[in-house]
Amino acid sequence: MSQKTYKHVSYSWDDAVANQLDPVERLRYRSNILGDDQRITNTGGGNTSSKVMMTDPLTGEEVDVLWVKGSGGDLRTSTRANFASLYMDKLLSLQTIYDAAEVKGVKTEIEDKMVSMYPHTTFNLNPRASSIDTPLHGFIPYRHVDHMHPISAIAIAASKNQERLTHEIFGDEIGWVPWQRPGFDLGLVMGQMASENPQLKGLVMGQHGLINWADDDKVCYELTLDLIEKAAVYIAKHDKGEDTFGGTKYQSLPDSEREALLIELLPKLRGLVSQQNRFIGTIHITDSVLQFVNSHDAPRLAELGTSCPDHFLRTKIKPLYVDWNPQSENTAVLLNKLEAGLAQYRADYAAYYEACQNPDSPAMRDPNPTVILIPGVGLIAWGKNKSESRVTAEFYSLAIEVMKASESISQYQGLPRQEAFDIEYWLLEEAKLKRMPPEKELARNVVIVVGAGSGIGKATAHRVAKEGAHVVCVDLDEAAAKETAVSLTNKYGMGIGVAGTGISACGPSIRLGVDITNRESVQQMLNQVILAYGGIDNIIVTAGVFVPPSQKGKISDEQWDLTFAVNVKGGYIIADEARKIWEAQGLTGTLVLTTSVNATVAKKGSVAYDTSKAAANHLVRELAIELSPLVRVNGLAPATVVEGSSMFPRERVISSLVKYEIPFDENEETAALRDKLAHFYAQRTLTKSPITLADQAEAAYLLTSHQLSKTTGQVISVDGGLHEAFLR
């Protein structure tokens, strides 16, 4: 049999793969390939199910089990563990409890209460929580169900004459249900429609999406694609071309001008939207986005907000559209319009909350927009972390496609305000938010670690990442920085978002090369951080250089200059350039410079290094004054961290062994020589313990964290207790 071909979706089913899987894994497989195509469903959106006969672990009998995507899952990335499993007979029996309620229906107390009953129907102690869409699958009398959020189907569902369009496009095989908040009652409504109308293969869900079913999983998958394709073909025939969104009003800025504007704009904008909570940004610039933001109809359509509930929960009631003319107005005008627009947006959001709130509504959430649209520039999204901001950018870009399609075949309409509010402030959604673990210490923060390619810097990058930071791994050796960034991404993941343009399509960690002695190199590095995340919060400089002296204890003038350029000037250049970003944001930040206990201990053989570190100590104090009150500046003074340190290459280790008259054999491995030196250094300390990379990383983290929020201008020694380095 030849494979079906499609123009508007991708066909990915492979019998050779599917036929080797058990029924639940086939569901996982089907879900992954559906979720992999944004035209079929958005990240985290939609759900799938299969009803599978399985052996009851208690009775040994064959029972019917509903396997359905669980709460908080994402189809594209789901594993078996992301699916809830429920006894079908127990799930269906819940209708008796529901029907017994005096008041029932959408948004009633009993409907919300039913969600708390789902755990009582769990099969085989599956810990995955069921989603609110579970009844939509359970009550439909077919074995396999796909509920998707396709652009083409939502465009129909969000159109003014959606019922007529549904019939015109799909005929009698697809029905239509008006908007109703997902839940137990909607499951009953759709189950009844499917039972009473056996010719139906699915339903267009008003203001929501598409649901369809079959008794064979491959047939269900292909039906999903067939229906989406049919809608997309119809929409394509009505494409308005140059008249889309009322035609072009503004022209896009050239790439170089746009990038320069964003570098100047983003830190200021991040500060403005982060008045209550810090946000991480994502820039999303595509032809479709630019067509929308540059159009005549963008202000009207932006005001309507999104339609699909999944989109709305990320993008809020509406985006902020800034009516700025990129051809005749400058950046100063744009900033003024942004400030005025943000003030009006917050006022509008408060009015929306006041008008729509219920007696038991949760308190008003952050009133700042999560999507900002700028003509000539594109879309900027904000979220609590990089993954969330990328998802938000994705959702609004999909909403743009929905509006484009809907306006080509009808007139787009957003979700009614009260319905939108009842989704946003749904007590079940609030409960889900409260169940989430508390944010980590450095969540919502962008931390630049200079010297992250090895040694203390690498250990520090891992330490701050553990606390939720977005970590920029910076090093003169960009390949080493990349290795650290990749290891962080492998450990913590890229997140589920797929949007973002250029470096802004990154995850929670990136790598950049920099020469901290070169101001232009530092500027370029910081510009890339701005484009990736929207700004910066914390900088930890661990980069340094020690030039081993000759056997006579001397270094050249050039080596002296290099020592001071890296150990002193480099820290100053970074602080001086970062200062502009910190001040533009208006958000508090921290700077940690790595100095050394050598700064306070005079000795032979390292005069350039020791005096440079003494200067770095005073640089800490000067910068603490210069950057106050926004930025706390502190120093970290390690001593003799031999383990894994780039500051202790083999030649320096041998030089130190000779200097301290420690016996060694030049044929010994470098690691063995380092161990001898580390043991010697440890015996000089009061604690008699080797000083490790983890010790230094912990101190760098503490100086960056809120735990030492009242500490600035200090140099903290982490040396195991060298009495020679005690402050005098």
Side-chain angles (χ1 to χ4, degrees):
M1 181 182 294
S2 61
Q3 178 180 299
K4 293 188 175 184
T5 58
Y6 299 88
K7 181 179 180 181
H8 300 280
V9 290
S10 298
Y11 185 95
S12 301
W13 187 279
D14 186 345
D15 283 330
V17 175
N19 291 344
Q20 297 183 44
L21 305 174
D22 68 36
V24 179
E25 280 299 307
R26 285 174 70 98
L27 171 62
R28 187 272 310 160
Y29 172 69
R30 181 171 110 235
S31 304
N32 291 166
I33 59 177
L34 286 168
D36 198 45
D37 189 339
Q38 278 189 287
R39 297 166 297 181
I40 294 175
T41 201
N42 52 272
T43 296
N47 32 68
T48 52
S49 69
S50 289
K51 300 177 180 79
V52 181
M53 297 302 297
M54 307 191 81
T55 302
D56 191 316
L58 291 178
T59 67
E61 297 177 357
E62 288 292 295
V63 293
D64 205 7
V65 179
L66 172 68
W67 286 85
V68 59
K69 191 194 84 169
S71 179
D74 168 57
L75 292 178
R76 175 172 53 89
T77 59
S78 282
T79 65
R80 192 184 189 108
N82 293 108
F83 290 87
S85 55
L86 304 88
Y87 287 97
M88 272 298 298
D89 58 350
K90 293 182 179 180
L91 177 63
L92 295 176
S93 71
L94 295 182
Q95 185 174 355
T96 302
I97 299 173
Y98 182 75
D99 288 341
E102 290 186 13
V103 179
K104 55 182 177 289
V106 64
K107 300 183 186 179
T108 58
E109 182 181 350
I110 186 62
E111 186 184 41
D112 282 358
K113 184 180 178 182
M114 298 312 294
V115 176
S116 66
M117 302 300 292
Y118 300 156
H120 296 287
T121 72
T122 299
F123 172 80
N124 203 21
L125 304 179
N126 187 342
R128 175 59 57 182
S130 300
S131 78
I132 57 173
D133 284 336
T134 297
L136 278 59
H137 295 259
F139 291 123
I140 288 176
Y142 292 87
R143 305 302 292 175
H144 306 279
V145 178
D146 290 343
H147 166 43
M148 299 292 119
H149 296 158
I151 292 169
S152 59
I154 300 177
I156 297 167
S159 291
K160 189 174 183 180
N161 51 347
Q162 53 190 263
E163 185 176 8
R164 180 186 64 77
L165 284 169
T166 299
H167 183 74
E168 182 178 336
I169 295 169
F170 299 113
D172 294 334
E173 68 177 1
I174 300 297
W176 171 84
V177 288
W179 160 257
Q180 182 174 323
R181 191 174 72 178
F184 200 86
D185 196 76
L186 181 58
L188 292 174
V189 168
M190 296 200 304
Q192 183 176 358
M193 287 192 70
S195 297
E196 294 178 355
N197 299 275
Q199 82 283 1
L200 290 180
K201 297 179 180 179
L203 297 167
V204 168
M205 302 164 65
Q207 305 296 138
H208 192 155
L210 174 70
I211 191 166
N212 53 269
W213 48 77
D215 282 329
D216 178 88
D217 55 0
K218 182 180 178 181
V219 171
C220 189
Y221 168 78
E222 292 182 343
L223 174 62
T224 300
L225 269 57
D226 289 345
L227 296 174
I228 296 169
E229 179 79 4
K230 183 176 287 189
V233 168
Y234 179 89
I235 291 166
K237 290 179 180 177
H238 295 79
D239 185 82
K240 292 186 175 180
E242 293 183 358
D243 292 330
T244 297
F245 299 132
T248 301
K249 182 178 181 181
Y250 301 116
Q251 299 300 314
S252 297
L253 291 174
D255 291 348
S256 59
E257 289 184 29
R258 180 191 297 116
E259 182 171 299
L261 182 146
L262 285 167
I263 289 167
E264 180 180 355
L265 176 70
L266 283 168
K268 179 70 173 177
L269 183 53
R270 183 177 185 234
L272 290 171
V273 300
S274 298
Q275 292 184 359
Q276 289 192 13
N277 299 288
R278 289 185 194 234
F279 283 114
I280 303 297
T282 290
I283 304 162
H284 192 63
I285 303 165
T286 63
D287 291 343
S288 178
V289 167
L290 290 172
Q291 181 186 41
F292 180 70
V293 299
N294 293 339
S295 72
H296 284 278
D297 289 347
R300 171 180 66 84
L301 292 170
E303 192 68 20
L304 296 177
T306 60
S307 171
C308 180
D310 260 27
H311 295 177
F312 169 77
L313 284 171
R314 302 281 189 175
T315 62
K316 305 193 79 160
I317 183 66
K318 62 180 180 180
L320 170 62
Y321 173 85
V322 184
D323 195 1
W324 175 69
N325 189 329
Q327 276 67 60
S328 64
E329 296 176 320
N330 60 23
T331 307
V333 173
L334 174 56
L335 280 169
N336 287 336
K337 288 190 172 185
L338 274 166
E339 289 195 47
L342 284 165
Q344 185 60 53
Y345 187 98
R346 296 183 197 110
D348 289 350
Y349 189 85
Y352 151 75
Y353 179 86
E354 289 298 323
C356 297
Q357 68 174 318
N358 301 304
D360 58 351
S361 293
M364 188 177 80
R365 303 195 183 107
D366 193 322
N368 286 287
T370 57
V371 176
I372 296 175
L373 306 170
I374 304 174
V377 178
L379 182 160
I380 303 167
W382 302 97
K384 66 181 180 182
N385 52 42
K386 186 60 179 175
S387 182
E388 183 173 277
S389 70
R390 291 184 72 195
V391 170
T392 301
E394 173 197 337
F395 282 11
Y396 201 80
S397 68
L398 294 176
I400 288 172
E401 296 291 346
V402 167
M403 289 185 280
K404 176 182 178 180
S406 178
E407 288 281 301
S408 72
I409 58 176
S410 179
Q411 181 179 338
Y412 172 79
Q413 58 183 19
L415 205 60
R417 284 168 60 86
Q418 187 63 56
E419 294 296 328
F421 181 90
D422 291 343
I423 288 284
E424 184 178 4
Y425 285 91
W426 195 356
L427 292 178
L428 291 179
E429 288 290 341
E430 180 71 8
K432 186 189 298 184
L433 292 175
K434 288 183 176 179
R435 286 196 303 269
M436 296 179 70
E439 291 186 354
K440 294 183 178 180
E441 173 71 24
L442 295 179
R444 301 176 180 264
N445 278 234
V446 178
V447 181
I448 301 174
V449 180
V450 183
S454 63
I456 295 173
K458 186 173 185 177
T460 298
H462 278 271
R463 182 66 185 90
V464 296
K466 184 179 179 182
E467 297 299 328
H470 299 77
V471 186
V472 182
C473 299
V474 175
D475 206 287
L476 181 63
D477 182 351
E478 188 171 351
K482 179 181 179 180
E483 185 178 320
T484 302
V486 168
S487 68
L488 291 176
T489 301
N490 289 341
K491 186 172 184 178
Y492 297 103
M494 272 288 290
I496 61 172
V498 296
T501 303
I503 196 172
S504 200
C506 63
S509 182
I510 59 172
R511 100 307 181 149
L512 295 168
V514 73
D515 175 0
I516 62 173
T517 69
N518 182 299
R519 187 175 288 270
E520 184 178 350
S521 178
V522 172
Q523 289 171 342
Q524 291 173 352
M525 178 270 289
L526 291 172
N527 288 347
Q528 290 300 300
V529 179
I530 290 170
L531 294 172
Y533 297 113
I536 64 172
D537 297 291
N538 320 99
I539 300 178
I540 302 170
V541 181
T542 66
V545 65
F546 174 87
V547 180
S550 67
Q551 291 184 349
K552 295 182 180 181
K554 302 291 186 180
I555 64 172
S556 67
D557 289 349
E558 290 78 12
Q559 290 171 324
W560 178 283
D561 291 342
L562 174 66
T563 301
F564 269 78
V566 174
N567 296 346
V568 186
K569 181 183 174 184
Y572 171 73
I573 291 176
I574 288 172
D576 196 43
E577 290 300 321
R579 178 180 191 165
K580 303 168 189 175
I581 303 171
W582 278 316
E583 290 179 347
Q585 291 177 153
L587 304 173
T588 57
T590 64
L591 171 64
V592 177
L593 299 180
T594 303
T595 67
S596 172
V597 296
N598 286 28
T600 59
V601 180
K603 60 185 183 300
K604 288 185 177 182
S606 53
V607 61
Y609 180 79
D610 295 354
T611 52
S612 73
K613 291 300 186 178
N617 273 1
H618 199 61
L619 178 62
V620 167
R621 294 184 277 268
E622 294 282 354
L623 289 175
I625 296 171
E626 289 281 334
L627 299 181
S628 67
L630 271 184
V631 181
R632 294 189 296 109
V633 184
N634 290 289
L636 167 64
T640 58
V641 183
V642 181
E643 168 212 1
S645 173
S646 60
M647 296 286 286
F648 278 88
R650 183 179 179 88
E651 59 269 24
R652 182 182 178 187
V653 173
I654 291 175
S655 174
S656 297
L657 291 172
V658 171
K659 175 181 175 181
Y660 296 119
E661 299 181 349
I662 302 170
F664 71 97
D665 184 336
E666 289 203 17
N667 293 322
E668 291 183 75
E669 295 288 335
T670 300
L673 297 178
R674 282 178 170 163
D675 287 344
K676 288 185 176 184
L677 186 59
H679 178 75
F680 170 78
Y681 285 143
Q683 295 311 304
R684 297 189 309 175
T685 69
L686 298 178
T687 61
K688 306 299 182 186
S689 300
I691 300 96
T692 67
L693 296 175
D695 296 329
Q696 308 302 328
E698 189 67 25
Y701 156 65
L702 286 171
L703 289 169
T704 301
S705 74
H706 292 95
Q707 297 180 55
L708 293 179
S709 62
K710 303 300 188 294
T711 300
T712 191
Q714 304 300 308
V715 178
I716 307 298
S717 295
V718 183
D719 57 10
L722 286 173
H723 65 84
E724 299 93 338
F726 287 175
L727 292 179
R728 294 167 173 81

